[in-house]
Structures are given as structure tokens and as C-alpha cells.
PDB file of all heavy atoms in Angstrom:
ATOM      1  N   ILE A   1      73.926  95.743 118.962  1.00  0.00           N
ATOM      2  CA  ILE A   1      73.101  95.222 117.833  1.00  0.00           C
ATOM      3  C   ILE A   1      73.495  96.053 116.637  1.00  0.00           C
ATOM      4  O   ILE A   1      73.202  97.267 116.619  1.00  0.00           O
ATOM      5  CB  ILE A   1      71.605  95.267 118.138  1.00  0.00           C
ATOM      6  CG1 ILE A   1      71.257  94.669 119.486  1.00  0.00           C
ATOM      7  CG2 ILE A   1      70.811  94.667 116.967  1.00  0.00           C
ATOM      8  CD1 ILE A   1      71.487  93.241 119.553  1.00  0.00           C
ATOM      9  N   ASN A   2      74.085  95.394 115.604  1.00  0.00           N
ATOM     10  CA  ASN A   2      74.534  96.098 114.410  1.00  0.00           C
ATOM     11  C   ASN A   2      75.276  97.370 114.764  1.00  0.00           C
ATOM     12  O   ASN A   2      75.028  98.471 114.216  1.00  0.00           O
ATOM     13  CB  ASN A   2      73.297  96.453 113.522  1.00  0.00           C
ATOM     14  CG  ASN A   2      72.631  95.202 112.941  1.00  0.00           C
ATOM     15  OD1 ASN A   2      73.267  94.249 112.655  1.00  0.00           O
ATOM     16  ND2 ASN A   2      71.292  95.276 112.936  1.00  0.00           N
ATOM     17  N   GLU A   3      76.235  97.178 115.663  1.00  0.00           N
ATOM     18  CA  GLU A   3      77.218  98.215 116.099  1.00  0.00           C
ATOM     19  C   GLU A   3      76.520  99.325 116.968  1.00  0.00           C
ATOM     20  O   GLU A   3      77.135 100.373 117.187  1.00  0.00           O
ATOM     21  CB  GLU A   3      77.970  98.894 114.952  1.00  0.00           C
ATOM     22  CG  GLU A   3      78.775  97.811 114.111  1.00  0.00           C
ATOM     23  CD  GLU A   3      79.858  97.177 114.919  1.00  0.00           C
ATOM     24  OE1 GLU A   3      80.192  97.698 115.989  1.00  0.00           O
ATOM     25  OE2 GLU A   3      80.329  96.116 114.473  1.00  0.00           O
ATOM     26  N   GLU A   4      75.276  99.168 117.371  1.00  0.00           N
ATOM     27  CA  GLU A   4      74.653 100.093 118.295  1.00  0.00           C
ATOM     28  C   GLU A   4      74.359  99.438 119.539  1.00  0.00           C
ATOM     29  O   GLU A   4      74.052  98.193 119.609  1.00  0.00           O
ATOM     30  CB  GLU A   4      73.417 100.628 117.712  1.00  0.00           C
ATOM     31  CG  GLU A   4      73.513 101.545 116.494  1.00  0.00           C
ATOM     32  CD  GLU A   4      72.153 102.089 116.077  1.00  0.00           C
ATOM     33  OE1 GLU A   4      71.261 101.369 115.790  1.00  0.00           O
ATOM     34  OE2 GLU A   4      72.018 103.410 115.946  1.00  0.00           O
ATOM     35  N   LYS A   5      74.467 100.117 120.754  1.00  0.00           N
ATOM     36  CA  LYS A   5      74.168  99.512 121.959  1.00  0.00           C
ATOM     37  C   LYS A   5      72.746  99.014 122.007  1.00  0.00           C
ATOM     38  O   LYS A   5      71.810  99.723 121.552  1.00  0.00           O
ATOM     39  CB  LYS A   5      74.407 100.584 123.094  1.00  0.00           C
ATOM     40  CG  LYS A   5      74.191  99.949 124.474  1.00  0.00           C
ATOM     41  CD  LYS A   5      74.487 100.976 125.546  1.00  0.00           C
ATOM     42  CE  LYS A   5      74.217 100.365 126.954  1.00  0.00           C
ATOM     43  NZ  LYS A   5      74.431 101.346 128.030  1.00  0.00           N
ATOM     44  N   MET A   6      72.580  97.823 122.543  1.00  0.00           N
ATOM     45  CA  MET A   6      71.238  97.216 122.584  1.00  0.00           C
ATOM     46  C   MET A   6      70.373  98.064 123.513  1.00  0.00           C
ATOM     47  O   MET A   6      70.738  98.375 124.603  1.00  0.00           O
ATOM     48  CB  MET A   6      71.332  95.791 123.139  1.00  0.00           C
ATOM     49  CG  MET A   6      70.056  95.022 123.094  1.00  0.00           C
ATOM     50  SD  MET A   6      70.309  93.269 123.624  1.00  0.00           S
ATOM     51  CE  MET A   6      70.621  93.499 125.386  1.00  0.00           C
ATOM     52  N   SER A   7      69.201  98.414 123.048  1.00  0.00           N
ATOM     53  CA  SER A   7      68.339  99.248 123.730  1.00  0.00           C
ATOM     54  C   SER A   7      66.842  99.106 123.331  1.00  0.00           C
ATOM     55  O   SER A   7      66.624  99.006 122.131  1.00  0.00           O
ATOM     56  CB  SER A   7      68.747 100.757 123.565  1.00  0.00           C
ATOM     57  OG  SER A   7      67.731 101.637 124.067  1.00  0.00           O
ATOM     58  N   LYS A   8      65.971  99.071 124.288  1.00  0.00           N
ATOM     59  CA  LYS A   8      64.496  98.960 123.918  1.00  0.00           C
ATOM     60  C   LYS A   8      64.107 100.190 123.125  1.00  0.00           C
ATOM     61  O   LYS A   8      63.282 100.119 122.231  1.00  0.00           O
ATOM     62  CB  LYS A   8      63.672  98.811 125.144  1.00  0.00           C
ATOM     63  CG  LYS A   8      63.757  97.363 125.796  1.00  0.00           C
ATOM     64  CD  LYS A   8      62.851  97.301 126.996  1.00  0.00           C
ATOM     65  CE  LYS A   8      62.847  95.920 127.589  1.00  0.00           C
ATOM     66  NZ  LYS A   8      61.980  95.727 128.769  1.00  0.00           N
ATOM     67  N   SER A   9      64.615 101.358 123.534  1.00  0.00           N
ATOM     68  CA  SER A   9      64.218 102.598 122.902  1.00  0.00           C
ATOM     69  C   SER A   9      64.616 102.652 121.404  1.00  0.00           C
ATOM     70  O   SER A   9      63.973 103.389 120.576  1.00  0.00           O
ATOM     71  CB  SER A   9      64.794 103.822 123.645  1.00  0.00           C
ATOM     72  OG  SER A   9      66.218 103.789 123.603  1.00  0.00           O
ATOM     73  N   LEU A  10      65.691 101.943 121.034  1.00  0.00           N
ATOM     74  CA  LEU A  10      66.122 101.960 119.640  1.00  0.00           C
ATOM     75  C   LEU A  10      65.484 100.858 118.831  1.00  0.00           C
ATOM     76  O   LEU A  10      65.621 100.793 117.629  1.00  0.00           O
ATOM     77  CB  LEU A  10      67.663 101.742 119.609  1.00  0.00           C
ATOM     78  CG  LEU A  10      68.522 102.885 120.186  1.00  0.00           C
ATOM     79  CD1 LEU A  10      69.977 102.463 120.127  1.00  0.00           C
ATOM     80  CD2 LEU A  10      68.295 104.170 119.359  1.00  0.00           C
ATOM     81  N   GLY A  11      64.679 100.046 119.534  1.00  0.00           N
ATOM     82  CA  GLY A  11      63.958  98.943 118.806  1.00  0.00           C
ATOM     83  C   GLY A  11      64.896  97.857 118.407  1.00  0.00           C
ATOM     84  O   GLY A  11      64.478  97.095 117.470  1.00  0.00           O
ATOM     85  N   ASN A  12      66.030  97.712 118.991  1.00  0.00           N
ATOM     86  CA  ASN A  12      67.026  96.686 118.629  1.00  0.00           C
ATOM     87  C   ASN A  12      67.218  95.707 119.821  1.00  0.00           C
ATOM     88  O   ASN A  12      68.376  95.328 120.077  1.00  0.00           O
ATOM     89  CB  ASN A  12      68.276  97.291 118.122  1.00  0.00           C
ATOM     90  CG  ASN A  12      68.984  98.119 119.236  1.00  0.00           C
ATOM     91  OD1 ASN A  12      68.460  98.234 120.308  1.00  0.00           O
ATOM     92  ND2 ASN A  12      70.229  98.493 118.961  1.00  0.00           N
ATOM     93  N   PHE A  13      66.172  95.361 120.466  1.00  0.00           N
ATOM     94  CA  PHE A  13      66.244  94.627 121.691  1.00  0.00           C
ATOM     95  C   PHE A  13      65.694  93.216 121.478  1.00  0.00           C
ATOM     96  O   PHE A  13      64.555  93.081 120.993  1.00  0.00           O
ATOM     97  CB  PHE A  13      65.368  95.330 122.798  1.00  0.00           C
ATOM     98  CG  PHE A  13      65.554  94.778 124.156  1.00  0.00           C
ATOM     99  CD1 PHE A  13      66.556  95.336 124.961  1.00  0.00           C
ATOM    100  CD2 PHE A  13      64.724  93.836 124.650  1.00  0.00           C
ATOM    101  CE1 PHE A  13      66.710  94.879 126.241  1.00  0.00           C
ATOM    102  CE2 PHE A  13      64.870  93.328 125.936  1.00  0.00           C
ATOM    103  CZ  PHE A  13      65.851  93.863 126.757  1.00  0.00           C
ATOM    104  N   PHE A  14      66.528  92.187 121.661  1.00  0.00           N
ATOM    105  CA  PHE A  14      66.101  90.834 121.379  1.00  0.00           C
ATOM    106  C   PHE A  14      66.183  89.979 122.664  1.00  0.00           C
ATOM    107  O   PHE A  14      67.149  89.997 123.410  1.00  0.00           O
ATOM    108  CB  PHE A  14      67.048  90.218 120.386  1.00  0.00           C
ATOM    109  CG  PHE A  14      66.987  90.858 119.008  1.00  0.00           C
ATOM    110  CD1 PHE A  14      67.973  91.718 118.616  1.00  0.00           C
ATOM    111  CD2 PHE A  14      65.883  90.626 118.169  1.00  0.00           C
ATOM    112  CE1 PHE A  14      67.924  92.393 117.395  1.00  0.00           C
ATOM    113  CE2 PHE A  14      65.834  91.251 116.915  1.00  0.00           C
ATOM    114  CZ  PHE A  14      66.858  92.104 116.537  1.00  0.00           C
ATOM    115  N   THR A  15      65.097  89.187 122.871  1.00  0.00           N
ATOM    116  CA  THR A  15      65.134  88.211 123.909  1.00  0.00           C
ATOM    117  C   THR A  15      65.836  86.977 123.455  1.00  0.00           C
ATOM    118  O   THR A  15      66.011  86.712 122.219  1.00  0.00           O
ATOM    119  CB  THR A  15      63.770  87.824 124.406  1.00  0.00           C
ATOM    120  OG1 THR A  15      63.058  87.170 123.356  1.00  0.00           O
ATOM    121  CG2 THR A  15      62.933  89.090 124.818  1.00  0.00           C
ATOM    122  N   ILE A  16      66.306  86.080 124.395  1.00  0.00           N
ATOM    123  CA  ILE A  16      66.905  84.847 124.017  1.00  0.00           C
ATOM    124  C   ILE A  16      65.991  84.009 123.170  1.00  0.00           C
ATOM    125  O   ILE A  16      66.337  83.436 122.195  1.00  0.00           O
ATOM    126  CB  ILE A  16      67.316  84.084 125.322  1.00  0.00           C
ATOM    127  CG1 ILE A  16      68.403  84.853 126.072  1.00  0.00           C
ATOM    128  CG2 ILE A  16      67.781  82.647 124.982  1.00  0.00           C
ATOM    129  CD1 ILE A  16      68.792  84.242 127.396  1.00  0.00           C
ATOM    130  N   ARG A  17      64.681  84.041 123.640  1.00  0.00           N
ATOM    131  CA  ARG A  17      63.666  83.214 122.830  1.00  0.00           C
ATOM    132  C   ARG A  17      63.493  83.687 121.379  1.00  0.00           C
ATOM    133  O   ARG A  17      63.312  82.916 120.507  1.00  0.00           O
ATOM    134  CB  ARG A  17      62.378  83.226 123.593  1.00  0.00           C
ATOM    135  CG  ARG A  17      62.467  82.423 124.825  1.00  0.00           C
ATOM    136  CD  ARG A  17      61.226  82.608 125.816  1.00  0.00           C
ATOM    137  NE  ARG A  17      61.556  81.849 127.001  1.00  0.00           N
ATOM    138  CZ  ARG A  17      60.929  80.712 127.303  1.00  0.00           C
ATOM    139  NH1 ARG A  17      59.983  80.234 126.528  1.00  0.00           N
ATOM    140  NH2 ARG A  17      61.272  80.032 128.364  1.00  0.00           N
ATOM    141  N   GLU A  18      63.577  85.029 121.169  1.00  0.00           N
ATOM    142  CA  GLU A  18      63.496  85.496 119.797  1.00  0.00           C
ATOM    143  C   GLU A  18      64.647  85.026 118.956  1.00  0.00           C
ATOM    144  O   GLU A  18      64.471  84.639 117.789  1.00  0.00           O
ATOM    145  CB  GLU A  18      63.403  87.027 119.853  1.00  0.00           C
ATOM    146  CG  GLU A  18      62.089  87.571 120.347  1.00  0.00           C
ATOM    147  CD  GLU A  18      62.111  89.058 120.533  1.00  0.00           C
ATOM    148  OE1 GLU A  18      63.171  89.600 120.865  1.00  0.00           O
ATOM    149  OE2 GLU A  18      61.060  89.726 120.420  1.00  0.00           O
ATOM    150  N   VAL A  19      65.830  85.010 119.542  1.00  0.00           N
ATOM    151  CA  VAL A  19      66.987  84.591 118.813  1.00  0.00           C
ATOM    152  C   VAL A  19      66.971  83.032 118.583  1.00  0.00           C
ATOM    153  O   VAL A  19      67.327  82.542 117.510  1.00  0.00           O
ATOM    154  CB  VAL A  19      68.300  84.956 119.476  1.00  0.00           C
ATOM    155  CG1 VAL A  19      69.472  84.507 118.660  1.00  0.00           C
ATOM    156  CG2 VAL A  19      68.357  86.447 119.698  1.00  0.00           C
ATOM    157  N   LEU A  20      66.459  82.272 119.543  1.00  0.00           N
ATOM    158  CA  LEU A  20      66.372  80.841 119.448  1.00  0.00           C
ATOM    159  C   LEU A  20      65.383  80.395 118.378  1.00  0.00           C
ATOM    160  O   LEU A  20      65.390  79.298 117.962  1.00  0.00           O
ATOM    161  CB  LEU A  20      66.014  80.231 120.818  1.00  0.00           C
ATOM    162  CG  LEU A  20      67.071  80.135 121.825  1.00  0.00           C
ATOM    163  CD1 LEU A  20      66.509  79.737 123.189  1.00  0.00           C
ATOM    164  CD2 LEU A  20      68.209  79.212 121.376  1.00  0.00           C
ATOM    165  N   ALA A  21      64.465  81.290 117.987  1.00  0.00           N
ATOM    166  CA  ALA A  21      63.550  80.966 116.867  1.00  0.00           C
ATOM    167  C   ALA A  21      64.244  80.876 115.527  1.00  0.00           C
ATOM    168  O   ALA A  21      63.714  80.306 114.591  1.00  0.00           O
ATOM    169  CB  ALA A  21      62.473  82.082 116.807  1.00  0.00           C
ATOM    170  N   HIS A  22      65.482  81.412 115.481  1.00  0.00           N
ATOM    171  CA  HIS A  22      66.224  81.427 114.212  1.00  0.00           C
ATOM    172  C   HIS A  22      67.575  80.689 114.285  1.00  0.00           C
ATOM    173  O   HIS A  22      68.054  80.362 113.209  1.00  0.00           O
ATOM    174  CB  HIS A  22      66.449  82.844 113.791  1.00  0.00           C
ATOM    175  CG  HIS A  22      65.215  83.664 113.634  1.00  0.00           C
ATOM    176  ND1 HIS A  22      64.371  83.545 112.583  1.00  0.00           N
ATOM    177  CD2 HIS A  22      64.627  84.613 114.496  1.00  0.00           C
ATOM    178  CE1 HIS A  22      63.300  84.362 112.691  1.00  0.00           C
ATOM    179  NE2 HIS A  22      63.452  84.999 113.846  1.00  0.00           N
ATOM    180  N   TYR A  23      68.104  80.560 115.443  1.00  0.00           N
ATOM    181  CA  TYR A  23      69.379  79.907 115.586  1.00  0.00           C
ATOM    182  C   TYR A  23      69.351  78.870 116.691  1.00  0.00           C
ATOM    183  O   TYR A  23      68.648  79.023 117.679  1.00  0.00           O
ATOM    184  CB  TYR A  23      70.454  80.966 115.909  1.00  0.00           C
ATOM    185  CG  TYR A  23      70.582  81.959 114.791  1.00  0.00           C
ATOM    186  CD1 TYR A  23      69.974  83.214 114.905  1.00  0.00           C
ATOM    187  CD2 TYR A  23      71.425  81.681 113.657  1.00  0.00           C
ATOM    188  CE1 TYR A  23      70.071  84.115 113.848  1.00  0.00           C
ATOM    189  CE2 TYR A  23      71.510  82.600 112.633  1.00  0.00           C
ATOM    190  CZ  TYR A  23      70.867  83.812 112.727  1.00  0.00           C
ATOM    191  OH  TYR A  23      71.023  84.724 111.727  1.00  0.00           O
ATOM    192  N   ARG A  24      70.120  77.809 116.528  1.00  0.00           N
ATOM    193  CA  ARG A  24      70.253  76.783 117.530  1.00  0.00           C
ATOM    194  C   ARG A  24      70.967  77.234 118.769  1.00  0.00           C
ATOM    195  O   ARG A  24      71.850  78.161 118.671  1.00  0.00           O
ATOM    196  CB  ARG A  24      70.973  75.581 116.957  1.00  0.00           C
ATOM    197  CG  ARG A  24      70.048  74.764 116.009  1.00  0.00           C
ATOM    198  CD  ARG A  24      70.766  73.601 115.406  1.00  0.00           C
ATOM    199  NE  ARG A  24      71.669  74.016 114.332  1.00  0.00           N
ATOM    200  CZ  ARG A  24      72.256  73.173 113.507  1.00  0.00           C
ATOM    201  NH1 ARG A  24      72.035  71.899 113.595  1.00  0.00           N
ATOM    202  NH2 ARG A  24      73.092  73.652 112.526  1.00  0.00           N
ATOM    203  N   PRO A  25      70.686  76.722 119.915  1.00  0.00           N
ATOM    204  CA  PRO A  25      71.320  77.168 121.186  1.00  0.00           C
ATOM    205  C   PRO A  25      72.808  77.174 121.132  1.00  0.00           C
ATOM    206  O   PRO A  25      73.496  78.117 121.632  1.00  0.00           O
ATOM    207  CB  PRO A  25      70.786  76.203 122.243  1.00  0.00           C
ATOM    208  CG  PRO A  25      69.468  75.729 121.662  1.00  0.00           C
ATOM    209  CD  PRO A  25      69.630  75.653 120.160  1.00  0.00           C
TER     210      PRO A  25
END
């Protein structure tokens, strides 16, 4: 995520549903 490894601890963790709220499948 933005060149950092996706991690809940970094707050850059996205579910599929969160992304689908902004982009088409």
C-alpha cells in the first residue's frame, strides 16, 4: 500500500469491500 507492505499495524489495511466502495470489480 503506497509502497509499504500492507499491515493492520500500519493502518494501511483494506478489505475487498472497502475497495469496492470506490472502484468497480
Side-chain angles (χ1 to χ4, degrees):
I1 309 293
N2 295 323
E3 300 300 343
E4 291 185 305
K5 184 178 177 182
M6 188 176 67
S7 168
K8 286 184 178 179
S9 62
L10 293 175
N12 62 355
F13 191 88
F14 295 103
T15 67
I16 295 174
R17 288 168 184 255
E18 288 172 329
V19 182
L20 284 172
H22 303 284
Y23 298 96
R24 285 177 283 191

